[in-house]
């Protein structure tokens, strides 16, 4: 009886990539994920980009049928809702590992297999591509932004008591059971605070979070989507998260 090779085996992982005006990066980031030795599918969430991003993704869908997918939304509805939409889509289609990453190559697709291995072989439920677990591994950011990001993560750790060095990281892989267990419809934050809320909720549910060291490189093409409002949501949202958790009883998945 013949056996399937790695490339022929059922692809059990999907990488969710939100995009808005990413025409400079869309084709290249999709190609980079599809070329990995560990086969992974791609799901793009496009928020009605006026620059034609969706058309580029659809062309990639024609080149790689069944490997590339897109959900087109009517407008900018927030990073958090994009990922929640993608998580539900991935669960409905039976993926065992669901990853998230940025479209601008600040997250290196070559690091995806290490995050995948952390949740499939390393015993983790959540694997975080961490900029700060081995120091400060950030390239081409202004020093002010580096300090803001580093101390924002320290602030989150102080308030939440969550043992994660890079609490705001957006390069993450989840085991299916995490996304099945978490109350996705109750995740409140839409901006980058969404990343904090997901990690904090997973932590409170008893899931094991592992940090995998990466080097984060500032985008070369396209424009950043960071804003003062997004940062403010994270700063004040963390306090609400912590206070709200004091009055909740969380299920314990640490022994399941």
């Amino acid at each position: 009886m013949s056996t399937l090779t790695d490339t022929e085996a059922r692809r059990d992982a999907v990488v969710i990539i939100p995009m808005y005006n990413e025409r400079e990066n869309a084709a290249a980031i999709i190609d980079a994920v599809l070329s990995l030795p560990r086969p992974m599918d791609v799901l793009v969430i496009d928020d009605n980009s006026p620059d034609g991003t969706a058309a580029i993704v659809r062309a990639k869908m024609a080149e790689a049928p069944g490997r590339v997918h897109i959900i087109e939304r009517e407008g900018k509805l927030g990073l958090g809702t994009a990922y929640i939409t993608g998580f539900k889509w991935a669960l409905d289609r039976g993926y065992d590992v669901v990853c998230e990453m940025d479209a601008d190559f600040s997250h290196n697709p070559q690091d995806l297999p290490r995050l995948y291995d952390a949740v499939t072989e390393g015993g983790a439920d959540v694997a975080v591509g961490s900029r700060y677990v081995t120091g400060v591994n950030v390239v081409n950011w202004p020093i002010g932004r580096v300090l803001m990001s580093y101390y924002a993560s320290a602030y989150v750790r102080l308030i939440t008591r969550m043992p994660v060095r890079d609490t705001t990281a957006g390069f993450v892989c989840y085991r299916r059971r995490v996304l099945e267990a978490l109350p996705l419809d109750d995740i409140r934050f839409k901006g980058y605070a969404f990343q904090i809320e997901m990690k904090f909720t997973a932590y409170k549910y008893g899931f094991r979070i592992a940090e995998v060291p990466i080097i984060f490189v500032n985008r070369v093409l396209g424009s950043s989507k960071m804003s003062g409002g997004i940062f403010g949501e994270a700063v004040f949202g963390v306090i609400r998260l912590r206070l709200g958790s004091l009055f909740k009883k969380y299920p314990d998945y640490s022994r399941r």
Side-chain angles (χ1 to χ4, degrees), residues 26-28 30-31 34 54-65 67-68:
I30 291 170
D31 286 343
L34 295 185
I56 294 171
V57 177
R58 289 195 295 270
K60 286 297 173 185
M61 292 172 65
E63 292 178 16
R67 298 289 312 277
V68 182

Side-chain angles (χ1 to χ4, degrees), residues 4-254:
L4 296 176
T5 66
D6 282 346
T7 55
E8 293 170 331
R10 183 179 72 86
R11 295 180 300 276
D12 64 347
V14 63
V15 183
I16 302 171
I17 310 177
M19 294 189 186
Y20 182 77
N21 286 349
E22 291 288 357
R23 63 173 297 116
E24 297 97 336
N25 296 303
I29 195 72
I30 291 170
D31 286 343
V33 174
L34 295 185
S35 67
L36 292 172
R38 160 57 61 187
M40 297 183 179
D41 291 343
V42 175
L43 171 64
V44 171
I45 312 291
D46 180 76
D47 276 2
N48 197 25
S49 300
D51 70 345
T53 294
I56 294 171
V57 177
R58 289 195 295 270
K60 286 297 173 185
M61 292 172 65
E63 292 178 16
R67 298 289 312 277
V68 182
H69 310 271
I70 188 171
I71 295 175
E72 298 182 59
R73 306 199 298 175
E74 294 182 354
K76 293 186 72 175
L77 302 176
L79 182 72
T81 64
Y83 277 128
I84 295 298
T85 298
F87 292 158
K88 292 179 177 180
W89 182 96
L91 291 175
D92 286 345
R93 283 153 184 81
Y95 289 99
D96 297 323
V97 177
V98 182
C99 303
E100 57 175 60
M101 68 182 298
D102 291 347
D104 59 8
F105 284 94
S106 55
H107 304 142
N108 186 346
Q110 295 296 321
D111 290 324
L112 278 167
R114 295 196 295 126
L115 271 65
Y116 175 92
D117 288 346
V119 297
T120 57
E121 301 175 8
D125 296 301
V126 182
V128 177
S130 178
R131 297 163 290 185
Y132 306 129
V133 72
T134 58
V136 179
N137 295 314
V138 177
V139 177
N140 293 337
W141 259 7
I143 187 62
R145 188 166 180 184
V146 173
L147 292 174
M148 181 179 72
S149 173
Y150 180 83
Y151 284 110
S153 278
Y155 164 79
V156 172
R157 288 198 310 277
L158 176 67
I159 299 298
T160 65
R161 312 295 173 87
M162 179 169 50
V164 177
R165 301 287 300 178
D166 195 349
T167 55
T168 61
F171 194 16
V172 185
C173 284
Y174 297 93
R175 288 180 64 190
R176 177 185 182 86
R177 77 182 196 120
V178 177
L179 299 179
E180 287 178 326
L182 298 190
L184 297 178
D185 289 331
D186 294 338
I187 301 296
R188 295 173 295 171
F189 296 122
K190 295 183 178 181
Y192 282 85
F194 164 83
Q195 303 293 0
I196 301 169
E197 187 173 5
M198 283 293 295
K199 296 179 188 69
F200 180 70
T201 308
Y203 164 67
K204 296 298 288 186
Y205 270 59
F207 289 115
R208 181 185 173 195
I209 303 174
E211 292 188 83
V212 177
I214 64 161
I215 296 176
F216 180 96
V217 180
N218 193 29
R219 73 159 61 231
V220 175
L221 300 174
S223 59
S224 172
K225 311 306 186 291
M226 180 64 75
S227 70
I230 288 173
F231 183 71
E233 179 192 53
V235 170
F236 297 108
V238 169
I239 297 174
R240 293 198 297 273
L241 270 181
R242 173 62 175 164
L243 291 176
S245 72
L246 299 177
F247 304 99
K248 287 184 182 179
K249 183 174 178 59
Y250 295 89
D252 184 4
Y253 281 78
S254 62

